[in-house]
Amino acid sequence: MDFYYPNRTNDFWYMMGLIFFHDRNYLLDSTGKNFDVDAIKRLLTEKGIALNDTGRKVRRLKGNASDKYLEIIEPVPLYTLLESMPQCHVVATTGEKAASVIAGITGTVVPAMGKKLEADGGLEIWRMPSTSRAYPLKLEKKAEYYARMFRDAGIY
């Protein structure tokens, strides 16, 4: 899948299926072997959810997907992106690395897990648990964190 969180060992799309459809497998295609990118894009569009990386230029220091070995060469131009989405007032990060990048951009501290803080201009910054299966938290618990954030943002 040429889209965010393509790896089936990541809990993100299972979690989104659980939150919005009460079915962890809802966003799988008819074969049950891959995620259905069209269904995912419909969900995101309907709910007004945008996804973006926190790094524009990154370097993997080891040949794996761990954020521990990810160097952010150039962070995303967050405020430029937000200017193109004037209704966006919430930024949520999935994991500690992304949270620290956004904190650096916004001049804030990293929020506690599952908590938010307010940056200049009323922008809410949430730090959410990583959806990686390497992060030791059950899918249902991850979904509780994200559902709380979506409710607070008026999405769920």
Side-chain angles (χ1 to χ4, degrees), residues 39-102:
I40 287 168
K41 288 180 179 181
R42 277 192 304 275
L43 168 65
L44 297 175
T45 300
E46 178 185 302
K47 298 297 182 182
I49 299 170
L51 301 177
N52 204 79
D53 293 318
T54 57
R56 177 176 265 180
K57 292 183 183 176
V58 299
R59 180 181 304 133
R60 289 262 173 223
L61 303 176
K62 290 195 175 188
N64 62 38
S66 172
D67 285 353
K68 181 178 180 180
Y69 303 109
L70 180 70
E71 179 184 8
I72 304 296
I73 305 297
E74 181 183 336
V76 67
L78 178 65
Y79 288 109
T80 301
L81 286 174
L82 292 173
E83 285 174 12
S84 70
M85 299 179 287
Q87 293 179 320
C88 182
H89 62 280
V90 175
V91 170
T93 62
T94 57
E96 186 174 356
K97 174 69 87 172
S100 66
V101 171
I102 295 300

Side-chain angles (χ1 to χ4, degrees), residues 93 95-104 106-113 115-117 125-128:
T93 62
E96 186 174 356
K97 174 69 87 172
S100 66
V101 171
I102 295 300
T106 59
T108 61
V109 297
V110 174
M113 178 70 66
K115 302 291 183 185
K116 69 177 178 179
L117 55 79
I125 313 268
W126 286 78
R127 177 181 170 202
M128 308 310 293

Side-chain angles (χ1 to χ4, degrees), residues 120-134:
D120 288 342
L123 180 66
E124 292 180 3
I125 313 268
W126 286 78
R127 177 181 170 202
M128 308 310 293
S130 171
T131 56
S132 168
R133 295 234 180 116

